[in-house]
Amino acid sequence: VRALILHGPGDVRLEDVPAPRPAAGEVVIETDYAMTCATDAKILRNGRHPAIGPCPAPFGHEVTGRVAALGAGVTGVREGDAVVVANSAPCGSCHYCAIDRPSLCENLTYLWGAYAERVRVPRPIVRANMLPRPDGLDPRMAAMIEPLACALHGATRVEAGEGDTAVILGGGVQGQFLTARLAARGCAVILCDPHPERRERARRFGATGTHDAPRDPSGVASVRELTPGGRGADLVVEAVGRPETWRIAVDLVRRGGEVLFYGGCPLGSDVTFPTEPLHYGELRLVGTYHHTPHAIRQALEMLMDPPVPFADLVGETIGLEEVAGTLATSGAKRPVRPRDLT
Ligand SMILES: [Zn+2]
Ligand SMILES: [Zn+2]
């Protein structure tokens, strides 16, 4: 079968590889669509990822398809069934799984190899995070379940709701999902991004205000002016993943407010905060990572009945040979169809 294989920084090759066979408890799916992701762009630039193993390595992690082969002991699905799969699953037995914090699982199992005609789904994912794909769901949307689930999980980490003001820094795919989620919870969302088209999209996704990205004290002051009484936001979400934006997030929140650090900074990053507003202002600074089986199910429900035009986030379908070029030049979501459309 044809598969994209990662060989190193900037080096991904379309190869003919043996068709994967499912071990006990596993499933192999025939890919309907994979989806490009900014994480894959990062992996391609770096040529590695802590969870992906040594090169050459299978590549891509957002995928939906039809069950092509079942390993021993798999029940509940049959060959030909359409499924959505998450890109990971928790182990169900470590300390963090036991205390119901599965996003912190010490033995997360990841799926890699979405950019291929056939994809092997590891046993923990089959068990916890593989769901039937409902008939009415566009498979291109189904391939986006992972990034949406990450946003939904992040939103569960904070309390802001009805009548609160949320400032979201970053209007990429995640910033848009978070806009839709927090607006549905009753927040007045102000999305900050330098790109006008992202600000316009945020309006369609439920934002009531938009602003350029604040980069300095005058930018911060100008965003704060949009919040009630100029006090600052009840919630600030950093969805960019840069240390300087993490710092600005803390400048934008009101006393007693919450900051959600959603965007992951490069490994080894440090951020310096003034202690005064954190201590005297009783700020809540909250991290979030990845998703949970609950968020995956929530995401599937939301994809079935999207509150806003999620399809807006998805560009033209491409083939496997176009993935590397797309990842190198654009952060947009592009559905990947490994075989010719028939
Ligand atoms: Zn992703
Ligand atoms: Zn675990």
Side-chain angles (χ1 to χ4, degrees), residues 90-98 101-102 104-108:
C91 72
S93 55
C94 72
H95 172 71
Y96 293 100
C97 286
R101 296 293 300 275
L104 303 180
C105 174
E106 291 173 322
N107 310 300
L108 275 182

Side-chain angles (χ1 to χ4, degrees), residues 35-40 61-62 87 143 146-147 150 174 333:
M35 188 66 83
T36 62
C37 172
T39 302
D40 292 336
H61 64 278
E62 298 181 17
N87 69 319
E146 177 256 329
C150 290
Q174 294 295 338
K333 296 301 253 186

Side-chain angles (χ1 to χ4, degrees), residues 180-204:
R181 184 63 182 153
L182 292 168
R185 249 160 63 170
C187 293
V189 175
I190 300 164
L191 182 117
C192 302
D193 194 281
H195 304 286
E197 70 279 9
R198 289 177 165 194
R199 299 199 293 264
E200 275 158 35
R201 175 177 290 145
R203 297 263 185 189
R204 294 196 294 279

Side-chain angles (χ1 to χ4, degrees), residues 62-252:
E62 298 181 17
V63 64
T64 183
R66 281 161 204 282
V67 174
L70 296 161
V74 177
T75 56
V77 286
R78 283 190 271 178
E79 249 176 65
D81 284 357
V83 292
V84 288
V85 291
N87 69 319
S88 76
C91 72
S93 55
C94 72
H95 172 71
Y96 293 100
C97 286
I99 63 167
D100 199 24
R101 296 293 300 275
S103 58
L104 303 180
C105 174
E106 291 173 322
N107 310 300
L108 275 182
T109 300
Y110 290 93
L111 176 151
W112 299 108
Y115 301 128
E117 289 175 334
R118 292 203 173 194
V119 181
R120 190 180 60 81
V121 184
R123 181 178 194 148
I125 300 180
V126 170
R127 187 179 49 77
N129 269 342
M130 185 174 88
L131 303 171
R133 190 177 75 211
D135 274 343
L137 180 57
D138 181 337
R140 290 168 302 174
M141 295 293 110
M144 282 208 302
I145 195 166
E146 177 256 329
L148 177 59
C150 290
L152 298 183
H153 170 62
T156 66
R157 302 274 304 135
V158 289
E159 289 164 2
E162 194 63 46
D164 288 330
T165 298
V167 167
I168 297 179
L169 300 173
V173 172
Q174 294 295 338
Q176 302 291 345
F177 280 145
L178 285 156
T179 296
R181 184 63 182 153
L182 292 168
R185 249 160 63 170
C187 293
V189 175
I190 300 164
L191 182 117
C192 302
D193 194 281
H195 304 286
E197 70 279 9
R198 289 177 165 194
R199 299 199 293 264
E200 275 158 35
R201 175 177 290 145
R203 297 263 185 189
R204 294 196 294 279
F205 275 45
T208 52
T210 58
H211 194 282
D212 192 8
R215 300 177 199 281
D216 53 28
S218 83
V220 167
S222 156
V223 174
R224 287 182 72 104
E225 268 170 36
L226 300 176
T227 66
R231 283 186 297 272
D234 301 296
L235 165 67
V236 180
V237 180
E238 202 279 1
V240 177
R242 286 203 200 121
E244 51 279 26
T245 324
W246 279 45
R247 174 68 181 78
I248 278 182
V250 171
D251 292 335
L252 288 167

Side-chain angles (χ1 to χ4, degrees), residues 281-304:
E282 298 191 343
L283 301 187
R284 284 187 68 226
L285 307 187
V286 183
T288 182
Y289 172 64
H290 215 56
H291 52 70
T292 62
H294 175 68
I296 289 290
R297 283 150 181 82
Q298 250 189 329
L300 184 58
E301 256 173 56
M302 205 173 185
L303 287 168
M304 282 299 292

